[in-house]
Amino acid sequence: MTDIVEATVPLVTVRGLSVEFATQEGTVRAVDDVSFTAGAGEIIGLVGESASGKSTLGLSLLRAVPAPGRTSAEELRLEDRDLLGLSETELRTVRSAEIALVVQDALATMNPVTTIGEQITRILRDHAVPGTRREHRERAIRALGEVRLPDPEDVMRRYPHELSGGMQQRVAIAQGLILEPKLIIADEPTTALDVTVQAQILALLKSIAATHGTSIIFVTHDLATVAEIGDRVMVMYAGRIVESGPVKDVFRSPEHPYTRALLASLLPLGGEPPARLDAIPGQPPRPGSWPTGCRFSPRCPLYRAKGEPEQCRTHDPRARGDGSHWAACHFATEEESE
Ligand code: SF4
């Protein structure tokens, strides 16, 4: 099991969380024994390539992995509430009210034939939030203003298709925030947007975390976005977190060869290209076909540079490092050139 990274005041506690799917070929594990905590107001970037399990991990925190997926954990808590022990009815209340999900395709989550105002006020009615229709309307307008939509009253009258992609994403965030959740799972919420709108949405999420104390788990394939927004980063590969730490530490001194390779493939914004532009050779393994030992070994430059040591093929690497910054590699901190 990977070491747990403790937030100072845990809002979310995850220990030994796994997600499995029953398939015709047998049980396939997509998330494997993940542990971490998140503090109030903290933004954690969860980064990795496709098939790393990051979106499934995000959904599992909501207990919303679709069937036949099965989430298990030693502990899964939001403050002192045990999320594993909740019934489906209780979970429906927790979702939206305490944990919100904001996804990449905001339009797909909206009703195309209902105005934005009706959609947002319906959330308040569905969760039996006290207040008259007028008070709900005023609260919806405030929520739209808070995500800095110009002329919120006009937006209330509009249908989703009448808004730009950036406005739709702001509405989705306003919908997520209207019940003042403690935790937002933001799954690639800016990927489809142009760079300017992307920067605005990231700034918005940052200010929401700072002003409301909302914890945000920001799922992305893009380390540059994590650098922009995150307090902490968790790098995921083949169902596991392979490196975790404060963003500035991980970017300054990445310890896992996979993190180093991801960082080496980044072009600095507005700066000189790095001396080496490393694409990571090969593909990440699919769930169910993870290699034994270290799952990154078939693609690992350090493994090759060290003459393919046997322990990388036979032994699962444990976390090495201090409590705040660690990497799951037998040779964490050693460079490929050694
Ligand atoms: S344990 Fe071995 S194969 Fe895995 S990342 Fe470290 S050096 Fe590479």
Side-chain angles (χ1 to χ4, degrees):
M1 181 179 137
T2 50
D3 280 2
I4 192 163
V5 177
E6 303 287 358
T8 322
V9 184
L11 176 82
V12 183
T13 305
V14 179
R15 287 183 198 270
L17 184 144
S18 298
V19 180
E20 293 179 337
F21 292 86
T23 71
Q24 288 183 333
E25 286 77 42
T27 301
V28 169
R29 197 168 264 218
V31 175
D32 189 17
D33 201 5
V34 163
S35 300
F36 68 94
T37 64
E42 187 175 33
I43 303 181
I44 298 181
L46 180 59
V47 70
E49 296 166 285
S50 302
S52 60
K54 58 190 190 301
S55 290
T56 306
L57 173 57
L59 281 179
S60 71
L61 303 179
L62 280 158
R63 298 276 322 278
V65 176
R70 200 181 75 83
T71 300
S72 62
E74 291 162 29
E75 196 174 355
L76 178 57
R77 290 186 174 278
L78 182 67
E79 293 179 324
D80 54 1
R81 188 194 290 251
D82 174 15
L83 297 178
L84 291 169
L86 299 183
S87 66
E88 194 48 47
T89 312
E90 291 168 322
L91 276 173
R92 270 199 292 276
T93 309
V94 167
R95 292 178 198 134
S96 304
E98 297 189 50
I99 309 176
L101 177 67
V102 178
V103 295
Q104 181 180 337
D105 188 359
L107 190 58
T109 65
M110 295 178 195
N111 184 334
V113 295
T114 308
T115 62
I116 299 299
E118 175 57 23
Q119 298 193 42
I120 300 187
T121 52
R122 184 173 295 165
I123 296 171
L124 297 172
R125 291 199 298 280
D126 286 352
H127 284 82
V129 173
T132 61
R133 283 190 88 85
R134 184 195 175 95
E135 286 165 342
H136 283 177
R137 184 181 144 73
E138 283 166 359
R139 185 161 168 179
I141 290 170
R142 275 202 307 280
L144 291 172
E146 205 172 345
V147 296
R148 296 181 205 132
L149 276 159
D151 200 350
E153 297 209 23
D154 178 59
V155 174
M156 290 281 283
R157 290 189 287 272
R158 302 221 176 224
Y159 291 90
H161 70 270
E162 296 179 303
L163 304 177
S164 68
M167 290 173 83
Q168 288 165 0
Q169 200 56 277
R170 281 169 201 264
V171 169
I173 294 170
Q175 284 179 326
L177 280 179
I178 190 85
L179 298 172
E180 299 178 3
K182 295 171 178 145
L183 171 67
I184 296 178
I185 314 288
D187 191 351
E188 306 268 11
T190 59
T191 303
L193 304 174
D194 70 50
V195 177
T196 312
V197 181
Q198 218 175 78
Q200 291 168 353
I201 299 283
L202 293 182
L204 172 64
L205 288 170
K206 249 177 135 159
S207 100
I208 286 166
T211 55
H212 293 263
T214 313
S215 176
I216 299 177
I217 300 199
F218 194 97
V219 179
T220 180
H221 62 277
D222 182 10
L223 266 176
T225 305
V226 173
E228 187 72 32
I229 193 174
D231 299 308
R232 201 141 55 86
V233 58
M234 299 192 299
V235 181
M236 213 165 165
Y237 188 82
R240 289 235 174 111
I241 295 170
V242 296
E243 179 157 4
S244 178
V247 164
K248 62 177 180 357
D249 292 354
V250 172
F251 275 65
R252 194 184 302 133
S253 321
E255 295 187 348
H256 196 284
Y258 179 59
T259 313
R260 285 203 288 268
L262 285 178
L263 281 168
S265 65
L266 280 180
L267 273 175
L269 286 175
E272 290 296 313
R276 293 184 314 170
L277 184 59
D278 294 344
I280 306 172
Q283 296 292 321
R286 310 295 307 175
S289 22
W290 293 330
T292 53
C294 176
R295 294 170 189 173
F296 188 54
S297 59
R299 304 172 74 195
C300 180
L302 184 56
Y303 169 67
R304 289 195 301 276
K306 285 191 152 297
E308 306 190 354
E310 189 183 350
Q311 61 178 315
C312 292
R313 294 191 307 276
T314 55
H315 286 82
D316 216 353
R318 318 298 289 181
R320 286 162 56 123
D322 59 39
S324 72
H325 182 191
W326 57 262
C329 167
H330 296 307
F331 307 100
T333 74
E334 295 185 27
E335 300 285 344
E336 281 90 74
S337 56
E338 290 180 357

